[in-house]
């Protein structure tokens, strides 16, 4: 009788092949390699959990704590945020580097008792060819940008110059923290975000909550309430158009909202989540949009309009998408109507708040709401086939392009300009080549003379962090006195791309613009492969659009580069899924 406790391998099975020729069963391995392998897998899981948690904390610090932190007073907001950004970045970088090294050493020691598996040797030439083929064009261009920026600083005529604090202008900047050191920290944020931040709905809800808090503080201030005593009593006695929320400068607030608001409403449009989360995101968009519009920063409103026009067609991928798009447009119509009803101005030591219903805006809002409601009912009754849904994004893009052409034709041929310095009058002057030096709060002159200054060193520019020094010298030489006559200094071109041309030359500008052009194109192509790709893309595009009218500042740029790193990781993961290696 056979022993039932003795395992007899089935002929042809794996265990049969590993058995001895006499049919006996090989004795189990008592070296402990199996338990070591199990322990190794447990260690890997532990380290992965720690890195995931650390990545979440890093995101919360950069997207949550950093925007809200202001040091307690308007006078020190910029310096306080710079210190917070520096501390978060350096501490996070040190932690991740040392923890990854510790992980590598620990796992290597745990594998030492496991018999190594023979691996075929790959020729070095094959390794190089494989890595070149797999190289990421966006990363290559960003590396080129870093190299050109470093070269422009080394070869700068101001390489040995000092800023007003007695520090190297090239390293620490001559303006508002714009030297090589800060740009290196931006690079660290980008890398950490790419490797360690796992972006999910919780991240979006955090951004929405921060947007809501900052906007509520700003709205209080717009209505004459000095929330938390942020602003000194000697300069704040009611409505003050230049100061807002925990960012201080309204342009910086607008730049941050150009990141956060598109991220929030694009997530509402493109990601199917629970009803409470979607309602919360819509509320954050409404409150944040009201604050942004009432600060009257035109660059932020243009960014909001462009990202909405881009996001709406790109987010149409499920049967719920058209209904959510209609709800978003309905909310936007209500937002524009409400903003048109409030008129805020500065009176004698107080804010003057007027609420009056504008008949024209009200009629337009009612008409748009009625049309959208009819479309909503029609869509719910008949629905959209997959074929129609696939064609709808292209149809919307064609419609938006036609509307843009009609608007440009109206502005060129039919628009009647006034003396007001607003976006429409500036666009009219730009189309007719008559943009004055005082247009756009002096941007007309700034752009002209910044471009002329950049032409003096067109290849590598004047060096990172040296814009202010170069412009002071250039202005004195050519007689540009717009800012000096107002007892002010010019430390930025108020156009990020023109600023890059001045400091890094055409090589720095093309590598920077090319990197983001490729990233945007790849994101659009793979928008359905990543759950949050459209939301992250909208945030990046919103920042780049408003940067045509502003400049990189340490209060906002770290968040931008963090989202860029997350977006690049999302796109590359999507490309691996859609095009797996053979």
């Amino acid at each position: 009788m056979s022993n039932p406790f003795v395992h007899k391998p089935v002929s042809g099975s794996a265990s049969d092949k590993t058995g001895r020729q006499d049919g006996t069963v090989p004795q189990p391995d008592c070296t402990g390699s199996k338990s070591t392998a199990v322990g190794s897998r447990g260690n890997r899981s532990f380290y992965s959990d720690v890195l995931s948690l650390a990545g979440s904390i890093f995101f919360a610090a950069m997207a949550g704590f950093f925007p809200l932190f202001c040091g307690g007073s308007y006078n020190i907001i910029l310096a306080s945020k710079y210190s917070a950004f520096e501390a978060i970045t350096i501490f996070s970088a040190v932690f991740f580097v040392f923890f990854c090294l510790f992980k590598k050493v620990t796992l290597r020691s745990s594998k030492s008792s496991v018999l190594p598996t023979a691996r075929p040797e790959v020729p070095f030439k094959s390794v190089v060819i494989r890595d070149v083929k797999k190289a990421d064009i966006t990363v290559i261009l960003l590396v080129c940008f870093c190299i050109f920026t470093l070269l422009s600083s080394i070869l700068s005529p101001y390489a040995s110059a000092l800023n007003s604090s007695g520090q190297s202008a090239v390293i620490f900047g001559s303006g508002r923290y714009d030297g090589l050191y800060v740009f290196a920290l931006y690079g660290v944020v980008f890398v950490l975000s790419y490797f360690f931040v796992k972006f999910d709905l919780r991240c979006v809800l955090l951004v929405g909550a921060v947007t809501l808090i900052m906007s509520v503080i700003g709205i209080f201030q717009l209505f004459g309430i000095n929330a938390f005593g942020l602003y000194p009593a000697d300069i704040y006695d009611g409505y003050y158009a230049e100061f807002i929320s925990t960012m201080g400068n309204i342009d910086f607030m607008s730049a941050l909202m150009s990141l956060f608001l598109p991220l929030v409403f694009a997530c509402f449009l493109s990601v199917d989540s629970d009803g409470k989360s979607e309602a919360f995101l819509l509320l954050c968009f409404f409150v944040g949009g009201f604050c942004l519009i009432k600060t009257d920063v035109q660059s932020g409103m243009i960014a909001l309009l462009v990202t909405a026009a881009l996001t709406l067609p790109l987010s149409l991928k499920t049967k719920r998408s058209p209904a959510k798009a209609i709800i978003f447009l309905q909310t936007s119509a209500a937002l524009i109507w409400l903003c048109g009803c409030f008129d805020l101005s500065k009176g004698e030591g107080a804010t003057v708040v007027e609420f009056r219903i504008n008949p024209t805006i009200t009629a337009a809002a009612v008409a748009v709401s009625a049309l959208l409601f009819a479309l909503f009912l029609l869509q719910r009754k008949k629905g959209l086939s997959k074929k129609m849904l696939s064609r709808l994004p292209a149809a919307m893009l064609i419609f938006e392009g036609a509307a843009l052409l009609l608007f440009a034709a109206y502005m060129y041929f039919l628009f009647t300009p006034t003396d007001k310095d607003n976006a429409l009058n500036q666009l009219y002057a730009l189309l007719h080549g008559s943009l004055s030096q005082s247009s756009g709060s002096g941007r007309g002159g700034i752009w002209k003379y910044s471009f002329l200054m950049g032409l003096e060193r067109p290849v590598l520019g004047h060096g990172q962090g040296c814009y202010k020094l170069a412009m002071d010298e250039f202005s004195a030489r050519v007689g540009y006195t717009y800012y000096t006559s107002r007892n002010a200094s010019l430390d930025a071109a108020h156009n990020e791309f023109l600023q890059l041309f001045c400091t890094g030359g055409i090589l720095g500008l093309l590598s920077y613009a090319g990197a983001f052009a490729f990233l945007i194109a790849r994101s659009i192509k793979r928008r359905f492969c990543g759950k949050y790709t459209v939301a992250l893309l909208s945030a990046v595009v919103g920042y780049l659009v408003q940067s045509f009218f502003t400049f990189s500042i340490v209060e906002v740029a770290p968040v931008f580069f963090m989202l860029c790193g997350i977006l690049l990781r999302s796109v590359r993961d999507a490309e691996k899924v859609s095009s797996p290696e053979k």
Side-chain angles (χ1 to χ4, degrees):
M1 181 180 294
S2 62
N3 189 346
F5 297 100
V6 177
H7 170 67
K8 290 186 177 181
V10 180
S11 178
S13 67
S15 57
D16 179 52
K17 294 178 182 179
T18 57
R20 299 175 182 173
Q21 293 181 354
D22 58 1
T24 60
V25 180
Q27 295 299 316
D29 183 11
C30 300
T31 60
S33 61
K34 183 176 180 180
S35 61
T36 304
V38 174
S40 177
R41 287 195 295 270
N43 288 339
R44 286 181 181 275
S45 177
F46 168 75
Y47 293 130
S48 298
D49 292 342
V50 171
L51 288 175
S52 178
L53 177 61
S56 299
I57 295 174
F58 174 71
F59 182 88
M62 293 301 302
F65 171 77
F66 176 64
L68 293 174
F69 181 71
C70 60
S73 173
Y74 171 78
N75 295 325
I76 59 173
I77 285 181
L78 181 60
S80 299
K81 285 186 178 292
Y82 168 73
S83 299
F85 158 62
E86 183 182 36
I88 293 171
T89 304
I90 294 177
F91 176 81
S92 300
V94 170
F95 170 80
F96 282 115
V97 168
F98 278 93
F99 188 82
C100 288
L101 290 175
F102 176 75
K103 170 188 172 183
K104 185 176 182 179
V105 171
T106 305
L107 291 179
R108 180 178 295 176
S109 63
S110 65
K111 289 180 179 179
S112 59
S113 58
V114 182
L115 294 177
T117 304
R119 296 182 180 179
E121 293 187 4
V122 182
F124 177 74
K125 182 179 179 181
S126 301
V127 174
V128 173
I129 294 175
R130 182 192 63 190
D131 291 343
V132 169
K133 288 182 177 180
K134 294 172 61 178
D136 189 287
I137 186 65
T138 303
V139 175
I140 292 174
L141 288 172
L142 287 175
V143 171
C144 290
F145 170 71
C146 295
I147 294 173
F148 294 144
T149 300
L150 184 61
L151 285 176
S152 69
S153 301
I154 295 174
L155 301 176
S156 170
Y158 308 97
S160 59
L162 303 178
N163 59 21
S164 58
S165 301
Q167 298 174 315
S168 170
V170 166
I171 297 177
F172 296 101
S174 58
R176 284 171 273 194
Y177 307 107
D178 55 353
L180 285 176
Y181 174 66
V182 172
F183 266 71
L185 293 180
Y186 294 160
V188 172
V189 170
F190 180 89
V191 171
L192 294 181
S193 304
Y194 176 85
F195 285 105
F196 300 110
V197 174
K198 183 180 179 182
F199 195 82
D200 54 21
L201 183 61
R202 294 174 298 177
C203 298
V204 181
L205 294 177
L206 173 65
V207 170
V210 173
T211 302
L212 187 62
I213 294 171
M214 296 180 68
S215 300
V216 168
I217 294 175
I219 292 171
F220 280 157
Q221 293 167 342
L222 290 173
F223 280 82
I225 302 173
N226 189 9
F228 304 107
L230 287 177
Y231 301 118
D234 57 338
I235 63 171
Y236 186 92
D237 52 1
Y239 175 73
Y240 204 93
E242 284 77 14
F243 303 149
I244 196 72
S245 194
T246 58
M247 298 298 290
N249 190 298
I250 57 173
D251 291 326
F252 303 161
M253 177 71 170
S254 171
L256 186 67
M257 290 296 106
S258 298
L259 273 169
F260 281 2
L261 287 178
L263 179 67
V264 167
F265 73 69
C267 186
F268 168 79
L269 289 169
S270 62
V271 179
D272 288 335
S273 57
D274 60 281
K276 291 183 179 180
S277 298
E278 292 179 350
F280 176 72
L281 293 177
L282 205 59
L283 172 66
C284 296
F285 162 71
F286 189 88
V287 177
F290 182 86
C291 182
L292 175 62
I293 293 174
K294 295 313 294 182
T295 55
D296 198 28
V297 180
Q298 297 167 19
S299 61
M301 289 186 279
I302 293 173
L304 205 60
L305 180 63
V306 171
T307 51
L310 176 68
T311 304
L312 280 168
L314 294 183
S315 61
L316 296 174
K317 59 182 179 179
T318 64
K319 291 185 177 181
R320 289 190 64 207
S321 299
K324 294 171 72 174
I326 292 173
I327 294 173
F328 169 74
L329 292 173
Q330 182 74 66
T331 305
S332 301
L335 171 63
I336 295 173
W337 173 82
L338 185 63
C339 290
C341 292
F342 277 102
D343 184 26
L344 307 175
S345 59
K346 187 174 178 62
E348 291 293 332
T351 299
V352 178
V353 180
E354 295 184 22
F355 181 85
R356 59 176 181 273
I357 297 178
N358 188 310
T360 304
I361 297 179
T362 302
V366 171
V368 170
S369 299
L371 177 62
L372 291 173
F373 185 68
L375 289 174
F376 180 78
L377 293 179
L378 182 63
Q379 187 270 336
R380 289 201 63 180
K381 183 177 181 180
K382 294 188 174 182
L384 292 175
S385 63
K386 290 185 177 180
K387 186 176 181 180
M388 186 178 297
L389 186 62
S390 64
R391 293 179 176 178
L392 191 56
M396 289 187 65
L397 289 173
I398 293 173
F399 172 79
E400 292 173 354
L404 181 61
L405 290 176
L406 288 174
F407 175 72
Y410 166 78
M411 291 298 302
Y412 188 84
F413 295 106
L414 301 176
F415 180 75
T416 302
T418 62
D419 295 333
K420 291 184 178 180
D421 187 23
N422 56 30
L424 293 179
N425 289 312
Q426 293 166 23
L427 178 59
Y428 176 87
L430 185 63
L431 290 174
H432 288 80
S434 58
L435 193 67
S436 66
Q437 293 189 19
S438 60
S439 297
S441 302
R443 281 173 173 80
I446 296 172
W447 293 348
K448 173 185 175 181
Y449 286 100
S450 294
F451 179 71
L452 294 175
M453 183 184 75
L455 289 178
E456 293 190 340
R457 294 179 62 87
V459 180
L460 287 173
H462 294 270
Q464 186 62 45
C466 299
Y467 177 89
K468 182 179 182 299
L469 297 177
M471 180 53 75
D472 287 346
E473 181 182 311
F474 182 79
S475 299
R477 185 157 25 99
V478 300
Y480 177 51
T481 60
Y482 180 83
Y483 267 76
T484 55
S485 62
R486 289 163 173 76
N487 295 322
S489 61
L490 185 59
D491 59 359
H494 290 268
N495 180 305
E496 181 63 16
F497 301 95
L498 188 55
Q499 175 98 2
L500 289 170
F501 174 64
C502 292
T503 57
I506 192 66
L507 294 179
L509 172 61
L510 290 180
S511 57
Y512 181 88
F516 287 105
F518 275 102
L519 179 59
I520 291 171
R522 294 165 64 188
S523 301
I524 293 175
K525 183 179 180 180
R526 304 294 182 188
R527 63 188 183 276
F528 293 151
C529 299
K531 187 175 183 180
Y532 298 97
T533 301
V534 173
L536 292 165
L537 170 65
S538 298
V540 171
V541 170
Y543 179 88
L544 292 175
V545 169
Q546 67 83 35
S547 67
F548 274 94
F549 310 95
T550 58
F551 54 93
S552 176
I553 189 69
V554 75
E555 292 189 31
V556 185
V559 183
F560 167 68
F561 284 105
M562 178 179 68
L563 294 180
C564 287
I566 299 172
L567 176 60
L568 179 60
R569 181 58 180 264
S570 174
V571 171
R572 296 195 71 181
D573 288 346
E575 290 173 342
K576 291 178 182 178
V577 172
S578 59
S579 302
E581 296 184 19
K582 294 182 180 180

